[in-house]
Amino acid sequence: MVMIESAAALLYGFADALTPMNLLMAAIGALIGTFVGVLPGLGPTSAIAILLPLTAVLEPAQAIIMLAGIYYGAMYGGSTTAILLNIPGEASSVPTCLDGYPLAVQGRGGPALGIAAISSFIAGIIGVLGLVFFAPVLAEQAIKLGPPELFSVMLLALAVTSGLTGGSLLKSLIMGLFGFLLSMVGLGSSTGMFRFTFGLGSLSGGFEMISIIIGLFAITEVLRSMEEKKTAVSSDRIGSVYPSRSDLRQSSGAIAAGSVIGFVLGLLPGISAAITSFLSYDVVKRFSKRRHLFGRGAIEGVAAPEAANNATSSAGFIPLFALGIPSSPPLAVLLAGLMIYGVAPGPLLFEQKGGFIWTVIASMVIGNIVLLLLNLPLVGLWARLTRVPFGIMAPIILMLSIIGAYTVRNSLFDVGVAVVFGVLGYFMHKFDWPVMPLILCFILGPLMEQSFTQALSMSGGSFSIFVTRPLALTFLIITAVLFLVSIWLVGRTRRRVQEEGAEALDF
């Protein structure tokens, strides 16, 4: 009965969302969001915050439709430079670099961008349908997860980081620890005291994620290319911008897995699109029959994280609308926009502002369609970036990197951080030290610390709370099993390499 009522309400929402002005706002939001996602450093949070005062001239529904479009548009836009230039526009696009950029180098940047657009579209639609039909039930279940469960989930996320590298498990653990230590610099979330600042005021605010990503990818890529004396991003044929049937068939499972993982985990407060994109990439890689191609140009490696980040974006609207809980910084700014227009999210939202909220939800379906229609024809234009001489691209990349690092907090310190991590990233790549565990642990560090301290406060300082709560214990057991399996797989791989080397010598 509830589903039938939701479907009927959605049809009324489409009637309002399809009016010319609302359609225009959905298109403008999707277009601005894509542009914002392409530019390193200027994420959806900044864009929504900047444009929020300018929406005062619009009707409430029109303003929220445009701001929501910017959010999920930016989630797609970050994949463009990740694939073509190995520079993620957003943290959630970092896993896309692993296979997207090798595909571009192989002359298949067009199909990779096409799969990214299709994956984002399908996952976005799945997320909106979940918002329509399952919001009350899923939101109710998600809110039952307390700090012990959230800590266990994030520990599980850390356990899978070893699968992101395929190299030394010890190096992965060291880099993960390094990322976690970096996340602790600045004001402690639990103590309210400064840590690891060494008396430097510039360190009191901690390290900015965007600066680190810009350094490890954008600046590192320029340094590597200068060493290799690269003349162009890709000298090979770009290829058709539309994926082949084989590409679609190989990506279908990854799109489904990424959509489910992104949607389910996107319901949890604090679980960002960056986290779900990492997890979906690792899960798809582990169960793929083409595992040996991951990191070298597997189309599934593009589909999985792109589906996950868009599904997470859509799922985040469920706790926002049903409970008034924003699960990410962009949604927190969007919550402020709703409050400005007198819309109070919560259990009574659908009763008190039903017409308004169903119009916004319907516009999200339309916005994802507009996003697909806008970007598939433009894929060819983006793909032509791979033919620009590197001598021209390198200064542009460096300029955008510096601007992106500076504009996050208007701080030259962040520019310095980007440069330092650019140099570090160059040597990490040269000596095969993985950067993915560093990034994931940096993202998860503050969330894990907060959940851990909250859990101990609930139990009066007793660690037993992590094993007496069934769901938390389940996640911890899965984490231990995955860690042991990772050790076994690394050992087996090392033995096979040694055996193959011995056979080669005998030959």
Side-chain angles (χ1 to χ4, degrees):
M1 187 65 180
V2 175
M3 289 189 178
I4 295 175
E5 292 177 356
S6 297
L10 183 62
L11 290 177
Y12 284 111
F14 272 113
D16 288 334
L18 288 170
T19 58
M21 194 62 182
N22 286 339
L23 276 175
L24 179 63
M25 290 300 104
I28 291 175
L31 189 60
I32 293 175
T34 304
F35 178 72
V36 163
V38 168
L39 295 178
L42 186 61
T45 306
S46 302
I48 294 173
I50 291 169
L51 293 175
L52 186 58
L54 303 180
T55 60
V57 298
L58 300 174
E59 295 292 328
Q62 296 168 0
I64 301 302
I65 286 171
M66 186 183 75
L67 296 176
I70 292 173
Y71 178 39
Y72 51 75
M75 291 297 102
Y76 165 77
S79 66
T80 302
T81 49
I83 292 170
L84 297 180
L85 304 174
N86 201 28
I87 301 170
E90 294 294 323
S92 58
S93 298
V94 170
T96 307
C97 295
L98 298 177
D99 288 279
Y101 185 66
L103 284 169
V105 171
Q106 296 165 20
R108 302 193 65 224
L113 286 171
I115 283 293
I118 293 170
S119 302
S120 298
F121 169 72
I122 294 174
I125 295 299
I126 290 174
V128 175
L129 291 177
L131 172 61
V132 171
F133 296 112
F134 304 110
V137 176
L138 290 176
E140 181 182 353
Q141 295 302 316
I143 200 64
K144 290 180 180 179
L145 294 179
E149 289 78 17
L150 290 176
F151 174 80
S152 302
V153 167
M154 285 180 267
L155 197 63
L156 175 61
L158 292 182
V160 303
T161 57
S162 58
L164 293 172
T165 63
S168 169
L169 179 61
L170 179 61
K171 287 183 177 179
S172 297
L173 292 175
I174 292 174
M175 294 302 289
L177 179 61
F178 181 40
F180 186 75
L181 289 175
L182 287 175
S183 72
M184 297 180 69
V185 175
L187 191 65
S189 59
S190 57
T191 62
M193 299 178 65
F194 291 108
R195 304 174 301 187
F196 304 113
T197 59
F198 305 103
L200 299 176
S202 54
L203 287 176
S204 60
F207 292 103
E208 176 57 47
M209 180 76 245
I210 294 297
S211 300
I212 293 177
I213 287 180
I214 287 174
L216 289 176
F217 287 90
I219 297 178
T220 293
E221 185 61 31
V222 171
L223 294 176
R224 285 177 52 200
S225 300
M226 289 172 60
E227 182 186 39
E228 297 168 5
K229 298 180 179 179
K230 185 182 289 186
T231 57
V233 178
S234 173
S235 58
D236 299 323
R237 183 174 62 86
I238 293 173
S240 171
V241 297
Y242 294 98
S244 64
R245 289 185 179 179
S246 175
D247 290 332
L248 292 172
R249 184 174 63 254
Q250 292 166 356
S251 302
S252 58
I255 293 173
S259 299
V260 172
I261 293 171
F263 181 76
V264 173
L265 294 182
L267 298 171
L268 305 178
I271 303 296
S272 66
I275 296 171
T276 59
S277 62
F278 274 102
L279 288 175
S280 64
Y281 180 90
D282 185 75
V283 168
V284 170
K285 177 183 176 181
R286 286 177 184 272
F287 290 97
S288 175
K289 295 179 180 179
R290 294 163 20 106
R291 186 185 308 172
H292 61 286
L293 292 178
F294 276 72
R296 302 177 183 176
I299 199 73
E300 308 97 296
V302 174
E306 288 305 306
N309 71 45
N310 263 47
T312 301
S313 303
S314 299
F317 284 93
I318 294 178
L320 177 68
F321 288 159
L323 303 169
I325 299 175
S327 57
S328 65
L331 290 179
V333 181
L334 199 60
L335 173 61
L338 289 169
M339 301 299 287
I340 289 173
Y341 287 106
V343 179
L348 300 179
L349 176 64
F350 287 86
E351 293 182 12
Q352 297 176 348
K353 300 284 185 179
F356 169 86
I357 209 64
W358 284 111
T359 299
V360 172
I361 293 173
S363 76
M364 292 170 66
V365 178
I366 296 169
N368 275 281
I369 296 173
V370 169
L371 197 62
L372 184 69
L373 295 177
L374 279 175
N375 286 293
L376 269 183
L378 293 176
V379 162
L381 295 176
W382 295 122
R384 288 190 180 91
L385 285 172
T386 60
R387 298 237 174 156
V388 176
F390 194 79
I392 296 175
M393 286 300 300
I396 295 175
I397 292 171
L398 287 175
M399 180 186 69
L400 291 175
S401 300
I402 292 172
I403 292 173
Y406 179 79
T407 54
V408 175
R409 296 189 296 192
N410 295 326
S411 170
L412 288 174
F413 171 76
D414 290 331
V415 176
V417 169
V419 172
V420 168
F421 275 91
V423 176
L424 282 176
Y426 167 78
F427 285 106
M428 288 174 188
H429 182 271
K430 198 174 184 66
F431 296 103
D432 294 323
W433 284 81
V435 299
M436 298 303 165
L438 184 155
I439 295 171
L440 185 57
C441 289
F442 183 87
I443 295 171
L444 287 174
L447 303 174
M448 285 189 67
E449 182 185 1
Q450 184 177 14
S451 299
F452 182 73
T453 53
Q454 288 176 347
L456 291 183
S457 297
M458 291 170 58
S459 64
S462 173
F463 291 95
S464 62
I465 191 170
F466 296 105
V467 295
T468 55
R469 295 173 66 121
L471 199 54
L473 178 61
T474 301
F475 288 134
L476 289 176
I477 292 173
I478 296 173
T479 300
V481 171
L482 279 178
F483 186 73
L484 292 174
V485 168
S486 295
I487 295 175
W488 176 73
L489 287 175
V490 169
R492 189 183 69 168
T493 302
R494 184 179 293 113
R495 286 194 299 270
R496 288 182 61 183
V497 170
Q498 291 173 349
E499 290 171 2
E500 290 174 1
E503 291 176 0
L505 288 174
D506 292 339
F507 178 76

